[in-house]
Amino acid sequence: MKSDNLEKHHLIIGAGPVGLAVAKSFKEARIPYHQVDADDDVGGNWYHGTYKSAHILSARKVMEYPDFKMPEDYPDFPSSGQMLAYYQSYASHFNLTESIQFNTKVIHVNPINEDLWEVTFANNTTRVYKGVIVCNGHHWSKNYPDYEGEFTGDSFHSKEYKSTDQLKDKRVLVIGAGNSAFDIASESARVSSKNFLSVRRGIWIFPKTFMGKPLASLQVPPIPDWLREGLIKIMLKLTIGSHKEYGLPKPESKVFDRHPTVNTETLMHVKHGRTIIKGAVKRFLGTQVEFEDGSIEDVDTIVYATGFKTDFPFLPKELCRVEKAHVKVYGFSMYDTYKGLYLVGWMQPRGGVGSLITPYANLLASFVKLQDKVNCPVGMILKERGEPLPTSHLFGGAQVIKWIEKTEKIMDKLEKEGLKLDSNLNGFTNKPLEYTSRPLQKEMQVY
Ligand SMILES: Cc1cc2nc3c(=O)[nH]c(=O)nc-3n(C[C@H](O)[C@H](O)[C@H](O)COP(=O)(O)OP(=O)(O)OC[C@H]3O[C@@H](n4cnc5c(N)ncnc54)[C@H](O)[C@@H]3O)c2cc1C
């Protein structure tokens, strides 16, 4: 096995929207890096993971990188094709593409002696890096529910949905109530012979626009959460009405406790009679599906719009501290017990990815430089000063940006606190770990 030593370089895994922003910040901060992607082009999910007809949910204003505006003629909600073109032009504008090694899949990342990181690639070569920035995305490890019985018709996950050809003239059942479920059910309503949508529990449904403006980019002055929740509920009452009107269960969670579904098109198809709302699936009976209310429907095709799991399949188990969909890291990316490893992009902020990852990637560059000056992990400094661990993958965009700006201003203070910790610790080194192979779930796909 050939092994290259790149002890001064960091490796950025992934060239999706997050990996690209990190690469740009590192380049500007003159932090030596390598970047790899398992795919053969930039853009991540927008290159390989969305269906042709997908449009963004948040608005262009919050989705774009603040330092690279989307073209003037882009609509408020660009299509997946426009998003891909935008990420490709970002990568070439900032000369990022030329340094990306494509078709290069990372299979193992291990902490080794001397605080270095050994990275193994799918072609069985290894390289040793000073640090690793993981930007592998959170929309690839498919989640499937378990049901009694066997379904003998056609079935696929929303990740494999590409066009209406897969649904045309079929009796389709879409399972799920998130954004992909509502998007695919809307498409199915137009082309299928019969369209069922199985909704297990109530979700908050938002319109894409309010008073003609994209909801995600509405400027709301800083107000307490209870007031924000109250105002949103009034707005939803006026625009959408009661869930009962559509045969949908009432949500039990607070408005911002779960990811809202941003789609009113499906509600219209319910009113047109083109989409029939069903409750939870009870069991499969060949090509029939029985629901919890005892009703049975003939179904040709099931679309599992049942979400994704957050995972880092190339990390040793000990470094995969994922709880539900959030990662137990300090400062949104770092462990307190390891230095040189940064897990970025698992968060799902309200708003869009570009407006957040740009300031965060700059902060990350500052953290990497800070790590050069102190011996203890930067995550440990944050822990010691009382930064909390996340309890959810959902965050308010404004809240995260405020934290980033505040933290960027106290880098000198963090350095002093780190040096103090160093003198108390009497030496710190990463504990080397072997990669312990974890059986991949059968449905898990690794890029
Ligand atoms: C239909 C749809 C609509 C969406 N709308 C919005 C929206 O409106 N606003 C919003 O903010 N987000 C939206 N999203 C989410 C969007 O996908 C993410 O915001 C964005 O793609 C996250 O970027 P990322 O770089 O973290 O991950 P990804 O885009 O998934 O990129 C990860 C990259 O890492 C690479 N990679 C993974 N594992 C490895 C490995 N082992 N070795 C090498 N390379 C690897 C992959 O090949 C990929 O290129 C939407 C998603 C979908 C499906």
Side-chain angles (χ1 to χ4, degrees):
M1 197 189 288
K2 188 176 171 297
S3 182
D4 291 327
N5 208 331
L6 294 145
E7 291 176 12
K8 288 189 170 45
H9 286 68
H10 283 76
L11 176 70
I12 302 172
I13 304 175
V18 168
L20 289 176
V22 171
K24 175 186 170 277
S25 290
F26 276 29
K27 200 169 178 170
E28 283 174 1
R30 297 183 184 279
I31 297 171
Y33 74 89
H34 277 184
Q35 185 166 22
V36 294
D37 198 292
D39 223 322
D40 60 5
D41 203 346
V42 302
N45 212 14
W46 301 99
Y47 179 55
H48 62 236
T50 53
Y51 29 96
K52 264 195 225 146
S53 55
H55 283 254
I56 63 167
L57 304 165
S58 30
R60 53 171 284 180
K61 275 207 173 130
V62 285
M63 192 68 177
E64 69 191 2
Y65 302 109
D67 51 3
F68 190 74
K69 299 287 175 200
M70 286 189 190
E72 280 297 317
D73 61 350
Y74 268 31
D76 281 332
F77 302 102
S79 66
S80 59
Q82 287 173 315
M83 289 310 297
L84 176 60
Y86 170 72
Y87 289 121
Q88 286 167 334
S89 66
Y90 177 86
S92 76
H93 179 82
F94 292 109
N95 300 319
L96 306 174
T97 321
E98 62 214 30
S99 343
I100 303 168
Q101 203 178 329
F102 292 108
N103 300 308
T104 306
K105 184 170 124 184
V106 170
I107 56 166
H108 298 163
V109 174
N110 293 340
I112 57 169
N113 285 328
E114 293 173 47
D115 296 330
L116 295 170
W117 293 85
E118 183 182 68
V119 179
T120 309
F121 299 92
N123 66 2
N124 218 20
T125 57
T126 64
R127 289 184 209 151
V128 172
Y129 285 99
K130 180 177 178 180
V132 178
I133 325 294
V134 177
C135 311
N136 68 333
H138 55 253
H139 275 136
W140 58 270
S141 174
K142 301 168 204 155
N143 186 49
Y144 289 94
D146 243 353
Y147 296 119
E148 202 188 303
E150 195 190 346
F151 179 69
T152 52
D154 190 22
S155 68
F156 53 88
H157 192 274
S158 63
K159 180 90 182 177
E160 285 135 22
Y161 175 66
K162 296 296 165 202
S163 78
T164 49
D165 295 349
Q166 291 160 278
L167 311 169
K168 200 166 179 316
D169 301 329
K170 306 261 174 64
R171 291 175 67 88
V172 175
L173 167 65
V174 179
I175 303 179
N179 287 295
S180 301
F182 271 45
D183 267 10
I184 297 170
S186 300
E187 305 231 316
S188 175
R190 293 191 185 276
V191 300
S192 60
S193 64
K194 196 94 185 170
N195 184 40
F196 303 102
L197 176 63
S198 163
V199 178
R200 189 165 49 113
R201 62 176 169 217
I203 23 90
W204 290 101
I205 300 165
F206 284 17
K208 259 188 148 167
T209 57
F210 181 60
M211 292 167 64
K213 303 270 184 236
L215 200 60
S217 59
L218 277 188
Q219 298 289 335
V220 185
I223 48 173
D225 280 354
W226 62 266
L227 182 57
R228 183 184 296 262
E229 168 121 4
L231 290 174
I232 287 274
K233 278 187 176 164
I234 294 171
M235 185 272 288
L236 294 180
K237 207 64 200 169
L238 293 173
T239 49
I240 287 173
S242 159
H243 283 68
K244 220 166 52 188
E245 293 290 341
Y246 309 94
L248 284 164
K250 200 175 157 204
E252 276 160 24
S253 59
K254 285 183 165 181
V255 176
F256 293 119
D257 279 1
R258 300 190 57 205
H259 222 311
T261 297
V262 189
N263 177 315
T264 44
E265 196 183 339
T266 286
L267 301 182
M268 185 191 71
H269 289 303
V270 171
K271 290 289 186 193
H272 287 180
R274 289 290 307 144
T275 291
I276 296 157
I277 301 291
K278 306 293 287 185
V281 170
K282 184 171 180 209
R283 59 180 169 152
F284 295 144
L285 306 156
T287 54
Q288 291 188 316
V289 178
E290 184 179 340
F291 297 88
E292 288 292 352
D293 64 0
S295 62
I296 295 179
E297 302 290 354
D298 292 323
V299 171
D300 300 317
T301 302
I302 292 181
V303 184
Y304 288 97
T306 41
F308 300 90
K309 295 172 190 157
T310 299
D311 201 7
F312 309 103
F314 36 78
L315 288 178
K317 205 170 162 205
E318 153 73 6
L319 297 180
C320 212
R321 302 176 197 167
V322 181
E323 205 173 291
K324 293 184 187 154
H326 63 276
V327 189
K328 293 293 187 193
V329 279
Y330 291 94
F332 300 115
S333 67
M334 294 164 289
Y335 292 130
D336 56 325
T337 48
Y338 278 86
K339 52 183 167 179
L341 180 68
Y342 307 85
L343 306 174
V344 192
W346 53 269
M347 288 164 63
Q348 297 187 30
R350 291 196 292 275
V353 62
S355 56
L356 258 169
I357 191 58
T358 302
Y360 188 76
N362 292 336
L363 179 69
L364 190 68
S366 302
F367 281 150
V368 167
K369 288 188 166 181
L370 173 62
Q371 190 61 78
D372 278 345
K373 298 177 189 161
V374 297
N375 185 44
C376 62
V378 172
M380 187 187 280
I381 308 175
L382 296 180
K383 181 185 177 187
E384 287 299 313
R385 66 185 350 257
E387 286 290 339
L389 285 170
T391 52
S392 165
H393 59 299
L394 301 174
F395 293 88
Q399 164 203 352
V400 178
I401 290 176
K402 213 166 142 195
W403 181 86
I404 293 171
E405 287 168 355
K406 188 192 87 191
T407 309
E408 190 72 81
K409 284 189 193 133
I410 56 163
M411 278 298 149
D412 290 346
K413 206 166 170 202
L414 293 180
E415 183 183 338
K416 277 189 198 129
E417 290 170 11
L419 293 172
K420 195 165 164 214
L421 265 177
D422 285 347
S423 57
N424 292 342
L425 276 174
N426 205 9
F428 172 93
T429 49
N430 285 345
K431 183 174 150 220
L433 289 172
E434 287 291 316
Y435 182 82
T436 37
S437 82
R438 288 181 283 138
L440 293 184
Q441 297 140 32
K442 65 178 181 334
E443 67 275 6
M444 192 187 270
Q445 217 183 37
V446 185
Y447 292 108

